[in-house]
Amino acid sequence: MENEMTTEKKVNDPELEQYDKLMAMPMVDIYKSLANIEGWKYREEGGQVYLVELGKADCLFDPMQDGNQLVALIEKHDIIRVYEDYDMIGWGYRVKGGRTPIMMTELQDFCGNGEPDITMSEAICRIIVFNKDPLFDVDPKDNQGDE
């Protein structure tokens, strides 16, 4: 007999399944996805992504460490920062007019180690990928449930 207090994610919720897939992606794959979204040519070397331009030296693409790269992404993709005080969730990010209402929060501590599980820059990078990468498209008919 199953415990009535057990809650499980519904298999028919494709948006949450896509979110889980996003959160499992390593940052190097997030950076490659961002480069693809921007239409940039890149190469991966040693777990890092370098932008490639003809006639110029390759440029390390690391918006988690390079504030200029991060700010350019924030401005281009119209990122909205919202504070959620319910249950002290903290700051979260969404893409204005994005395809999903899911907010990527920055100050989670679900691991219980006193450190945020997701930094501001990581939350911003991941929410852009979640909203703009075709890999995370959800067919609207999939959201109808079992009705």
Side-chain angles (χ1 to χ4, degrees), residues 63-91:
M64 284 185 54
Q65 301 301 319
D66 186 324
N68 291 328
Q69 291 175 348
L70 184 65
V71 168
L73 290 170
I74 290 169
E75 290 175 348
K76 179 171 185 185
H77 296 283
D78 212 1
I79 300 299
I80 300 170
R81 184 179 192 214
V82 178
Y83 186 79
E84 177 60 62
D85 60 354
Y86 172 77
D87 206 18
M88 297 183 349
I89 289 175
W91 291 105

Side-chain angles (χ1 to χ4, degrees), residues 8 18 21 32 88 105 118 122:
E8 295 182 30
Q18 294 289 49
K21 183 167 65 172
K32 292 189 296 188
M88 297 183 349
T105 57
I118 300 172
E122 181 178 348

Side-chain angles (χ1 to χ4, degrees), residues 6-23:
T6 303
T7 58
E8 295 182 30
K9 184 180 70 167
K10 294 181 181 178
V11 176
N12 68 349
D13 194 342
E15 197 160 48
L16 289 179
E17 289 175 9
Q18 294 289 49
Y19 179 84
D20 289 343
K21 183 167 65 172
L22 171 78
M23 296 309 294

Side-chain angles (χ1 to χ4, degrees), residues 138-145:
V138 175
D139 189 338
K141 71 181 177 191
D142 289 338
N143 285 325
Q144 294 175 0

Side-chain angles (χ1 to χ4, degrees), residues 19-20 22-25 27 30 64 81 89-93 102-127:
Y19 179 84
D20 289 343
L22 171 78
M23 296 309 294
M25 285 178 73
M27 283 312 294
I30 295 292
M64 284 185 54
R81 184 179 192 214
I89 289 175
W91 291 105
Y93 302 87
I102 290 179
M103 179 173 64
M104 183 72 60
T105 57
E106 117 187 23
L107 294 177
Q108 303 174 19
D109 182 20
F110 297 131
C111 296
N113 62 7
E115 297 290 324
D117 298 326
I118 300 172
T119 64
M120 174 189 77
S121 52
E122 181 178 348
I124 290 167
C125 291
R126 287 186 184 275
I127 201 65

